[in-house]
Amino acid sequence: MAPKNPARDNREARERLRLYQARRGLHDRQRRRRVRDNLVGAGALVLVAALATGSQLAFAGSQGNGSADASASATATPTPSASATAANTGDVPSKEIAKGATWTGSLTLNGSIDLGIELDGAKAPQAASVEISLIKEQFYNGTTCHRLADSDGLKFLQCGSANGDGTGDAGFQYGPLENVPEDGVYDEGTIAIARSTSPYSQSTQFFIVYGDTTLDGSTGGYTVVGKVTSGLSELESKIVDKGIASPGDDGTGEPKVATKITDATIAQEK
């Protein structure tokens, strides 16, 4: 595994966030321009209609009638926070983006591991909308999958932090939790949103479950936003089976095989 370069990684993270925000800004300006043009067009139609109506009234009268940075974590033992604020922070993408539809695409790791993905805009409209926005704006390209769990009943790969080490986001955090398994079991193939203690601390990080996993639901569980539809066996053979570099107290840690998202695509299913 290549040695880390914190200065370079931080520069890349800042540049990635800057580009993401710039793209979001352009998108917002284009949206506002469309809204403005629509309003101008609607105003013109109203004016024409009013003039026409006025002409009709005048004619009739003449006839005599008259809208953190937090380190999100997928962990079996999250610690509840009594001071957690139940509110979105920052510029959270609209939950209308998903349109209540199914979205399909791909997630490429290390340039060669292709995962087919599916996002559920009906069961998790807010989370799906955020993921769609992040993927379309290429936020994930170049980000690191920094955390691997490979013990019995705990099998996931966590990705998507802006800084590549479990910290950083895209300038927003959101809630509420959606589509959470009642029994705390996250089936093989599940894609869920990572978070810290607050249900409103969801942001850019997510985890891919490559084997049935049980997580503590005492703080509410984790939003299931979709699933991996293909490629899990390749993920296991090329990354998971190589192990964890330095497991922490909970047995999770950075994969021995340095893992990055090199491409991501998404589109509404027809």
Side-chain angles (χ1 to χ4, degrees), residues 52-84:
T53 302
S55 298
Q56 292 171 357
L57 290 175
F59 179 78
S62 67
Q63 303 301 310
N65 297 309
S67 166
D69 177 48
S71 175
S73 61
T75 173
T77 55
T79 303
S81 173
S83 61

Side-chain angles (χ1 to χ4, degrees), residues 228-260:
V228 173
T229 56
S230 63
L232 277 182
S233 59
E234 194 173 11
L235 169 65
E236 290 189 64
S237 64
K238 292 186 176 181
I239 296 176
V240 176
D241 291 349
K242 307 304 181 184
I244 298 172
S246 299
D249 293 339
D250 62 356
T252 73
E254 187 177 358
K256 284 185 178 180
V257 175
T259 305
K260 282 193 174 184

Side-chain angles (χ1 to χ4, degrees), residues 164-255:
D165 59 359
T167 66
D169 55 33
F172 62 80
Q173 295 181 24
Y174 72 94
L177 300 177
E178 303 169 298
N179 196 29
V180 178
E182 293 183 1
D183 58 2
V185 176
Y186 296 75
D187 296 333
E188 178 180 311
T190 293
I191 301 174
I193 305 301
R195 64 179 179 86
S196 55
T197 53
S198 168
Y200 281 77
S201 61
Q202 299 174 119
S203 188
T204 64
Q205 293 189 50
F206 61 91
F207 58 99
I208 297 168
V209 178
Y210 64 87
D212 291 353
T213 292
T214 301
L215 297 174
D216 179 16
S218 62
T219 63
Y222 300 88
T223 293
V224 173
V225 68
K227 61 184 178 181
V228 173
T229 56
S230 63
L232 277 182
S233 59
E234 194 173 11
L235 169 65
E236 290 189 64
S237 64
K238 292 186 176 181
I239 296 176
V240 176
D241 291 349
K242 307 304 181 184
I244 298 172
S246 299
D249 293 339
D250 62 356
T252 73
E254 187 177 358

